[in-house]
mmCIF file of all heavy atoms in Angstrom:
data_model
loop_
_atom_site.group_PDB
_atom_site.id
_atom_site.type_symbol
_atom_site.label_atom_id
_atom_site.label_comp_id
_atom_site.label_asym_id
_atom_site.label_seq_id
_atom_site.Cartn_x
_atom_site.Cartn_y
_atom_site.Cartn_z
ATOM 1 N N ALA A 223 116.895 114.193 77.773
ATOM 2 C CA ALA A 223 116.239 113.567 78.909
ATOM 3 C C ALA A 223 115.247 112.505 78.447
ATOM 4 O O ALA A 223 114.766 112.503 77.302
ATOM 5 C CB ALA A 223 115.521 114.634 79.757
ATOM 6 N N ASP A 224 114.971 111.536 79.369
ATOM 7 C CA ASP A 224 114.185 110.384 78.933
ATOM 8 C C ASP A 224 112.826 110.790 78.392
ATOM 9 O O ASP A 224 112.419 110.270 77.330
ATOM 10 C CB ASP A 224 114.034 109.392 80.055
ATOM 11 C CG ASP A 224 113.614 110.019 81.402
ATOM 12 O OD1 ASP A 224 113.289 111.177 81.449
ATOM 13 O OD2 ASP A 224 113.639 109.255 82.406
ATOM 14 N N ASN A 225 112.114 111.674 79.066
ATOM 15 C CA ASN A 225 110.792 112.042 78.504
ATOM 16 C C ASN A 225 110.856 112.878 77.251
ATOM 17 O O ASN A 225 110.045 112.719 76.388
ATOM 18 C CB ASN A 225 110.012 112.761 79.623
ATOM 19 C CG ASN A 225 109.537 111.827 80.697
ATOM 20 O OD1 ASN A 225 108.834 110.863 80.421
ATOM 21 N ND2 ASN A 225 109.907 112.091 81.932
ATOM 22 N N ALA A 226 111.923 113.712 77.154
ATOM 23 C CA ALA A 226 112.058 114.473 75.881
ATOM 24 C C ALA A 226 112.378 113.500 74.714
ATOM 25 O O ALA A 226 111.808 113.687 73.647
ATOM 26 C CB ALA A 226 113.237 115.455 76.066
ATOM 27 N N CYS A 227 113.211 112.530 74.965
ATOM 28 C CA CYS A 227 113.503 111.523 73.928
ATOM 29 C C CYS A 227 112.305 110.611 73.704
ATOM 30 O O CYS A 227 112.135 110.167 72.542
ATOM 31 C CB CYS A 227 114.722 110.725 74.304
ATOM 32 S SG CYS A 227 116.281 111.614 74.032
ATOM 33 N N GLY A 228 111.548 110.291 74.790
ATOM 34 C CA GLY A 228 110.326 109.494 74.587
ATOM 35 C C GLY A 228 109.407 110.206 73.657
ATOM 36 O O GLY A 228 108.757 109.557 72.804
ATOM 37 N N ALA A 229 109.232 111.535 73.828
ATOM 38 C CA ALA A 229 108.356 112.283 72.883
ATOM 39 C C ALA A 229 108.900 112.246 71.503
ATOM 40 O O ALA A 229 108.207 112.027 70.501
ATOM 41 C CB ALA A 229 108.208 113.715 73.348
ATOM 42 N N LEU A 230 110.213 112.456 71.363
ATOM 43 C CA LEU A 230 110.847 112.463 70.045
ATOM 44 C C LEU A 230 110.683 111.103 69.369
ATOM 45 O O LEU A 230 110.513 111.036 68.138
ATOM 46 C CB LEU A 230 112.341 112.805 70.179
ATOM 47 C CG LEU A 230 113.106 113.210 68.944
ATOM 48 C CD1 LEU A 230 112.565 114.498 68.348
ATOM 49 C CD2 LEU A 230 114.566 113.302 69.289
ATOM 50 N N GLY A 231 110.744 110.041 70.175
ATOM 51 C CA GLY A 231 110.645 108.683 69.544
ATOM 52 C C GLY A 231 109.235 108.161 69.404
ATOM 53 O O GLY A 231 109.051 107.024 68.978
ATOM 54 N N ASN A 232 108.228 108.993 69.646
ATOM 55 C CA ASN A 232 106.818 108.587 69.496
ATOM 56 C C ASN A 232 105.966 109.538 68.705
ATOM 57 O O ASN A 232 105.084 109.118 67.982
ATOM 58 C CB ASN A 232 106.198 108.362 70.888
ATOM 59 C CG ASN A 232 106.512 107.019 71.492
ATOM 60 O OD1 ASN A 232 105.943 106.003 71.120
ATOM 61 N ND2 ASN A 232 107.446 107.092 72.419
ATOM 62 N N ILE A 233 106.232 110.831 68.878
ATOM 63 C CA ILE A 233 105.348 111.837 68.250
ATOM 64 C C ILE A 233 105.877 112.326 66.971
ATOM 65 O O ILE A 233 106.979 112.843 66.818
ATOM 66 C CB ILE A 233 105.162 113.026 69.244
ATOM 67 C CG1 ILE A 233 104.445 112.573 70.513
ATOM 68 C CG2 ILE A 233 104.392 114.185 68.592
ATOM 69 C CD1 ILE A 233 104.374 113.652 71.590
ATOM 70 N N SER A 234 105.019 112.199 65.897
ATOM 71 C CA SER A 234 105.408 112.639 64.567
ATOM 72 C C SER A 234 104.741 113.971 64.220
ATOM 73 O O SER A 234 105.236 114.629 63.260
ATOM 74 C CB SER A 234 105.041 111.604 63.496
ATOM 75 O OG SER A 234 103.645 111.263 63.569
ATOM 76 N N HIS A 235 103.720 114.414 64.913
ATOM 77 C CA HIS A 235 103.067 115.704 64.705
ATOM 78 C C HIS A 235 102.922 116.409 65.977
ATOM 79 O O HIS A 235 101.945 116.268 66.734
ATOM 80 C CB HIS A 235 101.665 115.466 64.044
ATOM 81 C CG HIS A 235 101.721 114.867 62.642
ATOM 82 N ND1 HIS A 235 101.715 113.541 62.487
ATOM 83 C CD2 HIS A 235 101.812 115.457 61.446
ATOM 84 C CE1 HIS A 235 101.797 113.286 61.169
ATOM 85 N NE2 HIS A 235 101.845 114.432 60.521
ATOM 86 N N PRO A 236 103.923 117.230 66.388
ATOM 87 C CA PRO A 236 103.930 117.952 67.699
ATOM 88 C C PRO A 236 102.702 118.813 67.932
ATOM 89 O O PRO A 236 102.295 119.059 69.060
ATOM 90 C CB PRO A 236 105.200 118.727 67.664
ATOM 91 C CG PRO A 236 105.954 118.364 66.509
ATOM 92 C CD PRO A 236 105.122 117.544 65.587
ATOM 93 N N GLU A 237 102.090 119.343 66.837
ATOM 94 C CA GLU A 237 100.977 120.237 66.998
ATOM 95 C C GLU A 237 99.727 119.558 67.498
ATOM 96 O O GLU A 237 98.902 120.143 68.179
ATOM 97 C CB GLU A 237 100.612 120.934 65.624
ATOM 98 C CG GLU A 237 101.792 121.765 65.104
ATOM 99 C CD GLU A 237 102.718 120.993 64.204
ATOM 100 O OE1 GLU A 237 102.584 119.749 64.189
ATOM 101 O OE2 GLU A 237 103.543 121.581 63.565
ATOM 102 N N THR A 238 99.517 118.253 67.143
ATOM 103 C CA THR A 238 98.209 117.612 67.419
ATOM 104 C C THR A 238 98.354 116.330 68.163
ATOM 105 O O THR A 238 97.356 115.770 68.639
ATOM 106 C CB THR A 238 97.504 117.318 66.109
ATOM 107 O OG1 THR A 238 98.315 116.492 65.257
ATOM 108 C CG2 THR A 238 97.155 118.631 65.384
ATOM 109 N N GLN A 239 99.542 115.768 68.387
ATOM 110 C CA GLN A 239 99.715 114.498 69.064
ATOM 111 C C GLN A 239 100.313 114.692 70.467
ATOM 112 O O GLN A 239 101.166 115.515 70.636
ATOM 113 C CB GLN A 239 100.705 113.540 68.277
ATOM 114 C CG GLN A 239 100.039 113.015 67.005
ATOM 115 C CD GLN A 239 101.061 112.167 66.246
ATOM 116 O OE1 GLN A 239 102.270 112.151 66.507
ATOM 117 N NE2 GLN A 239 100.589 111.372 65.266
#
Side-chain angles (χ1 to χ4, degrees):
D224 50 6
N225 286 303
C227 283
L230 194 65
N232 279 281
I233 294 174
S234 55
H235 294 89
E237 299 87 352
T238 59
Q239 289 176 346

